[in-house]
Amino acid sequence: MQSTVTPTHCPYCALQCGMNLTPAPDGTVEVSERADFPVNRGALCGKGRTAAAVLAPGVRLTSPLVRDEGGTLVPASWDEALDRIAAELGRTRAEYGPDALGVFGGGGLTNEKAYTLGKFARVVLGTSQIDYNGRFCMSSAAAAGIKAFGLDRGLPFPLEDIPKSGCVILVGSNLAETMPPSLRFFTELRENGGTLIVIDPRRTKTAEQADLHLAPRPGTDLALALGLLHLVIAEGRVDEEYVRERTAGWEDARAAAMAHWPEYVERITGVSVPQLRQTVRMFCEPESAMVLTARGPEQQSKGTDTVGAWINLCLATGRAGRPLSGYGCLTGQGNGQGGREHGQKADQLPGYRKLDDPAARAHVAEVWGVDPDSLPGPGRSAYELLDALGTDIRSLLLMASNPVVSAPRAAHVEERIRSLDFLAVCDVVLSETAALADVVLPVTQWAEETGTTTNLEGRVLLRRRAVTPPDGIRSDLEVLHELAARLGVEKGFPTDPEEVFEELRRASAGGAADYSGITYRRLAEEDGVFWPCPAEGPEGSEGVEAPGGRSSVTPGSGVPTHGLPARPAPGEPAGSDDAAGGPGAQGHAPGRPVVTTDGPVRVHPGTPRLFLDRFATPDGRARFVPVSHRAIAEEPDDEYPVLLTTGRVVAQYQSGAQTRRVAELNAAAPGPFVELHPRLAARLGAAEGDPVAVVSRRGRAVAPARITDAIRPDTVFMPFHWPGEGRANTLTNPALDPTSRMPEFKACAVRLETVEG
């Protein structure tokens, strides 16, 4: 085992905090602070500090498992396991056609693995049926961002801009528990004289830090945003010059907002008119302000419209595309951003290209060496894919996801998974989903492999291999290489992650998420590189080695700059220092000059700040999208009179498949609970710690009561990290947003029952 210190990144949330790993003589791995990385500046949460615990052989899988004739998973050789997977996938395709094969990925896969998984599905299997659990993360924000700005990136500015802003509205995020190291940016905001407004039905640890906390009824964030915009208009706070010069569609959006007068919004949301007016005043009076959303407003059957309403508020007040201002989304999963940019989403090709775009298909097909007509079209979204298991989809290859715990209407999803003809799972641990598989392949994890991820800022990062994996473990890239060969595709699936990344660069070149100017060498030398980062070079040269790495795109080839202005000729000014963060901040926007380095070769610096010159639309203007309030898919009634909302706790992560195997984290958060207001508990006759049943139209979950006045009396909360009797997603509603196909995790009707014993 190596004994050197390896700088790398945490495997969990989208902050991708920097950390150092040092192997110890006893085989354990020490995690230590890495103060030089700007996102976390050395701070780590409990999950990050204990991340190496999952590397232990007693915690993780160390051998392939194959289900025997008696129905038991037993150890097997790699050849036996891979042969069986290839045979079953081949049989299904021959008998039912390629779309009877499903592929389900995860937001924790590196960019290289996400890219290869999408290529494998479309080139080797020929199936359109691929999606990933990131669909459940920020797809509504992505859809709204593309509608408004022409481009989706979680944050269009670095986290370091937040403390310099005048006001931040944080909608539906409890980042004090979901990504604790980020809280310091908001603490610094207030120390610098800025204000923080938190919108959440619960008085969370994050809300306790706010200057103003609004507690709307779950599912009413759309009405709240419209009510605020109504007041902005009525109080004469619209930035008319900005709206005229940098936007389109204002009149229709204005008319829609004016139908949501404050008293009407108060009745819908429970937020008082004085609080609405105070919010508008706090947001509009500073020179700069931001709105940041998370899963609260996004995981709704109207999530795209809800995020669109918050974007409209930013546009009307001139807060987007200006220094220290704008709309952003706090991505959840570790590589939720990169995971959807490079092809494991049902409708996308690498570079954030659309699968139904002929030019995109032609470009990617050329990189892959296949006929564009051979690529399948868009497939089902994540929940729709899971719902089709066992009927239209007969066999499934699943990587880095645990839908038995994490999917909405989870009991139904578990039933569909059990009905498959064949299930193969690649994972680090025997998750609840892996336990149902016919074949389980143990794969390398974050510290045992090199690869890139893209954090919530759009910052592409290099995770470095720090330890040697145990015998019997292979990487996901090796798995896909071996399966492709067994299914008749001998070439095109390398196992070296840097070789894959070089191909990804070519495939992404000219796309919205252009990585072509990023190399492993640059990532090793810098604190990550923000996309878009097109390759650059002098006219007429090819493959020029530039400081920081080689270019894989013909320099001077006119790589598109995402609908933004052409770059100035050499010698024109490159933009000046400004309030957005110091030297070159303005020059980092797409369409500005690249940095000149040794000789004639030009290296693009990456794009920390988007939209400072123009938006990524054909005319450079942002688009207002008119939206109106509508109810959630399932409102409370006499039979189910209470609203359930779900979320996370600080010591567990996502479905808990890994964190539930760490003793320190389990001690801090040992199991599920039902959070309810004292008045609701009194009506039910429940005391602290009593088992309470929460019942929806989809099922029943039981967990101990946690009684607190930090939640609305008409709402209960459950964390979703646990399987079994306390599985919160047994209850949740799979009603889908019509645009993003995001399920409505955040609001459904339930009733409460006492439980004997």
Side-chain angles (χ1 to χ4, degrees), residues 433-645:
T433 304
L436 303 179
D438 298 286
V439 178
V440 183
L441 300 180
V443 291
T444 51
Q445 52 180 308
W446 62 291
E448 300 164 346
E449 60 187 10
T450 294
T452 62
T453 61
T454 306
N455 81 344
L456 77 170
E457 306 165 294
R459 187 193 301 252
V460 185
L461 302 165
L462 183 64
R463 279 194 199 157
R464 297 169 174 86
R465 174 169 164 158
V467 297
T468 302
D471 293 338
I473 305 297
R474 298 187 185 181
S475 74
D476 294 288
L477 293 180
E478 290 174 309
V479 168
L480 294 173
H481 171 86
E482 293 289 341
L483 290 177
R486 283 167 167 80
L487 291 165
V489 181
E490 299 286 344
K491 296 181 179 179
F493 289 87
T495 60
D496 175 52
E498 187 170 8
E499 186 177 348
V500 175
F501 190 78
E502 287 298 305
E503 183 179 304
L504 182 157
R505 292 175 62 203
R506 298 194 300 274
S508 73
D514 190 335
Y515 284 30
S516 60
I518 304 174
T519 64
Y520 270 32
R521 180 175 166 185
R522 281 192 70 178
L523 295 177
E525 294 173 352
E526 304 176 30
D527 286 327
V529 178
F530 292 82
W531 71 260
C533 183
E536 295 292 338
E539 288 291 339
S541 65
E542 292 189 22
V544 176
E545 177 73 16
R550 60 189 180 275
S551 168
S552 295
V553 175
T554 303
S557 60
V559 174
T561 57
H562 320 286
L564 298 167
R567 293 183 175 82
E572 289 187 13
S576 60
D577 298 357
D578 63 17
Q586 189 80 0
H588 286 172
R592 308 293 286 192
V594 295
V595 173
T596 301
T597 55
D598 297 345
V601 179
R602 300 178 299 173
V603 178
H604 194 287
T607 314
R609 296 170 181 87
L610 295 167
F611 314 137
L612 296 182
D613 294 308
R614 54 184 280 144
F615 296 96
T617 57
D619 61 3
R621 293 172 175 267
R623 302 285 190 265
F624 282 97
V625 178
V627 294
S628 296
H629 170 71
R630 62 182 186 273
I632 59 174
E634 187 179 72
E635 288 282 1
D637 56 22
D638 291 343
E639 188 176 2
Y640 300 95
V642 177
L643 281 169
L644 167 71
T645 192

Side-chain angles (χ1 to χ4, degrees), residues 92-240:
T92 298
R93 182 171 60 184
E95 189 170 347
Y96 299 103
D99 274 357
L101 298 171
V103 177
F104 200 84
L109 293 175
T110 63
N111 290 318
E112 292 81 0
K113 292 191 282 189
Y115 171 85
T116 304
L117 186 61
K119 181 180 179 181
F120 178 85
R122 295 176 175 109
V123 172
V124 178
L125 300 182
T127 182
S128 66
Q129 301 303 304
I130 174 172
D131 211 76
Y132 82 128
N133 63 13
R135 175 79 67 170
F136 300 155
C137 178
M138 59 172 289
S139 57
S140 293
I146 290 171
K147 283 184 178 184
F149 307 131
L151 185 69
D152 154 47
R153 197 178 81 184
L155 294 180
F157 40 72
L159 284 162
E160 66 189 41
D161 283 1
I162 290 172
K164 305 170 191 174
S165 189
C167 176
V168 174
I169 299 180
L170 191 60
V171 190
S173 172
N174 182 17
L175 53 81
E177 298 202 60
T178 59
M179 44 182 66
S182 70
L183 189 61
R184 66 172 56 191
F185 294 104
F186 299 87
T187 302
E188 291 172 13
L189 165 77
R190 300 183 69 209
E191 291 173 349
N192 292 341
T195 55
L196 175 62
I197 301 168
V198 171
I199 298 173
D200 197 302
R202 305 164 61 223
R203 191 176 68 250
T204 63
K205 292 181 180 179
T206 306
E208 289 173 353
Q209 306 298 313
D211 297 281
L212 176 63
H213 171 218
L214 309 181
R217 185 172 177 267
T220 63
D221 309 90
L222 175 52
L224 180 60
L226 287 163
L228 295 175
L229 182 53
H230 177 110
L231 285 171
V232 165
I233 298 166
E235 295 178 4
R237 297 181 184 270
V238 175
D239 188 331
E240 300 287 357

Side-chain angles (χ1 to χ4, degrees), residues 6 38 82 90 117 136 178 250 428 484 534 559 648 694:
T6 302
L82 290 167
L117 186 61
F136 300 155
T178 59
W250 167 235
V428 172
V559 174
R648 287 167 49 187
V694 185

Side-chain angles (χ1 to χ4, degrees), residues 715-748:
T715 301
V716 296
F717 167 83
M718 291 188 71
F720 57 76
H721 309 290
W722 288 274
E725 188 179 49
R727 180 173 60 185
N729 278 321
T730 296
L731 309 167
T732 49
N733 191 350
L736 301 180
D737 180 289
T739 302
S740 68
R741 315 309 288 168
M742 168 75 85
E744 191 152 65
F745 286 99
K746 289 302 180 190
C748 70

